[in-house]
Amino acid sequence: MSTSVSSTPVEPFIAYLRRRGASATVLTPGEVVTAAVGLLRGCRSAAVRGGGAAWWLTAEGRPVVVEDHGAPDVVASTADGLRRLAALVPDPTTRGLVDRAGEVVATRPPREWDAIERRLFAHADPAPLVLGPLAPVIVEERAEDRDDALTGGPLGLLDDDLFRTIRNGTAGLRERWASSPRFRAAVIGVGVLAVAAVVSSVFLPEVREPAPVASSTPHVSRIAPPTMSITPRPSATSPWPADDRVPLSDDIVEVARRVFGEISGCGDDPECRSAFDEGSTFTREPLLPHAEHADIALLEDFGGVAVVRVADSDRAQYVTLVRHDDRWLVRAVETVADQPS
């Protein structure tokens, strides 16, 4: 079975957003709905689960997932794509919906993404993405603009009179540079000699005194060698090795309990707790107290990214766990508004 040319990825989605952001053609709400829903649905049905994934556009402007070992997982790539898309949207309402879609992807299981899709469709009818040609924003540069650009750099620290004096004093040099080949050659020659002198002083070996002959008596260090501290939890003074923190397991619920137990063991030590955070910008509310003893259920397993529901008698949370360097970290924590009965 042959693959249709129109379904072949032709441009990275991020590259398209950069190109679109540099153009004079603003994103319309309809285009935003098309792109955002395409990312949501593509992430939900992506075959790429455990490894890296990147978003591309087809010749028709349809987002597709492409396996990319150097990229983040498909959930992180989707949330990042939605954030980048939102940053280009001029309309505040549309931008807010896309931002929320990124949070939903990171913190909610896919079966709950339908609600944000319905809100997007209710906001605007989908429209095809404008792929090109995209006329760039043209800024006509004038002599005054070039002078203003100089004042924005180091010379911007000078007052107007002093800057004007410097500019007038260099006017003759600029004229000689433009009219005299001999003057240009002399200036270039001086510059080459200056560069050569700098390179010589940096890279040529220095003359040093000969090193003393080593004594036959071995030197005994006064610093005691490091010892492996066996502690029940990581701490600021005795961090766990990266490969000792909650190893991989096929049972995500067991993994979640162990991660939550390690976090509870940190107590009020923020540095210890941060060792279990992915470091992303997603919503990360405080975990339920003693979450390791709560009711934990697996909602979605993307293969390297999992969403679990953690509930006690009072409330419930969705916690997104992500695998990094053969250990599990917390990416996002969000309290469920309406806890199912």
Side-chain angles (χ1 to χ4, degrees):
M1 183 175 63
S2 61
T3 303
S4 172
V5 175
S6 62
S7 63
T8 302
V10 295
E11 183 179 19
F13 183 62
I14 293 177
Y16 168 75
L17 291 181
R18 291 197 189 104
R19 187 164 59 90
R20 188 64 182 266
S23 76
T25 307
V26 298
L27 280 163
T28 64
E31 290 179 278
V32 174
V33 170
T34 297
V37 173
L39 293 178
L40 289 168
R41 293 186 176 180
C43 180
R44 184 162 42 193
S45 60
V48 181
R49 291 285 181 166
W55 282 99
W56 283 60
L57 288 179
T58 67
E60 295 176 326
R62 181 171 63 88
V64 292
V65 178
V66 176
E67 185 175 1
D68 185 347
H69 297 294
D73 57 78
V74 65
V75 175
S77 292
T78 302
D80 179 66
L82 288 167
R83 284 199 306 268
R84 291 173 182 265
L85 175 64
L88 296 180
V89 178
D91 173 45
T93 303
T94 309
R95 184 169 60 249
L97 285 173
V98 180
D99 275 331
R100 178 56 184 162
E103 287 290 335
V104 165
V105 167
T107 60
R108 303 267 177 166
R111 65 169 178 263
E112 296 194 14
W113 299 357
D114 290 336
I116 193 67
E117 280 192 25
R118 289 193 296 269
R119 292 178 63 187
L120 286 166
F121 282 129
H123 176 65
D125 293 328
L129 288 174
V130 176
L131 302 177
L134 295 173
V137 178
I138 299 176
V139 180
E140 185 177 351
E141 185 180 21
R142 301 169 300 170
E144 294 84 351
D145 297 331
R146 290 193 293 271
D147 290 339
D148 292 340
L150 287 175
T151 62
L155 292 182
L157 301 176
L158 305 178
D159 59 40
D160 294 341
D161 293 337
L162 183 54
F163 174 72
R164 191 176 299 107
T165 301
I166 294 174
R167 186 178 62 186
N168 293 338
T170 58
L173 294 177
R174 293 199 300 269
E175 292 176 0
R176 291 188 62 188
W177 175 269
S179 61
S180 175
R182 182 175 299 178
F183 178 75
R184 290 197 298 270
V187 172
I188 292 173
V190 172
V192 171
L193 292 176
V195 172
V198 173
V199 171
S200 299
S201 64
V202 173
F203 293 102
L204 291 182
E206 297 179 1
V207 178
R208 294 188 176 94
E209 296 181 0
V213 178
S215 171
S216 58
T217 303
H219 174 69
V220 180
S221 174
R222 295 180 180 272
I223 303 176
T227 58
M228 178 64 70
S229 175
I230 302 176
T231 60
R233 62 177 179 86
S235 67
T237 56
S238 57
W240 289 67
D243 57 349
D244 282 350
R245 294 189 213 162
V246 191
L248 302 182
S249 170
D250 293 333
D251 188 346
I252 301 300
V253 172
E254 175 191 351
V255 167
R257 289 195 188 279
R258 295 182 62 183
V259 172
F260 300 157
E262 296 288 352
I263 294 174
S264 294
C266 290
D268 295 328
D269 185 350
E271 186 172 352
C272 174
R273 286 177 170 269
S274 66
F276 295 93
D277 291 341
E278 185 197 21
S280 61
T281 58
F282 299 119
T283 302
R284 191 178 294 110
E285 301 175 5
L287 279 168
L288 292 176
H290 305 292
E292 69 274 18
H293 302 304
D295 180 24
I296 302 176
L298 176 63
L299 299 180
E300 187 67 34
D301 183 3
F302 286 95
V305 180
V307 181
V308 296
R309 180 178 178 273
V310 186
D312 59 17
S313 58
D314 298 325
R315 56 188 174 133
Q317 292 179 325
Y318 287 148
V319 181
T320 304
L321 300 171
V322 60
R323 187 171 64 194
H324 274 297
D325 298 330
D326 296 336
R327 60 192 181 93
W328 290 88
L329 302 175
V330 176
R331 169 175 288 174
V333 181
E334 186 176 29
T335 300
V336 182
D338 297 318
Q339 182 176 346
S341 57

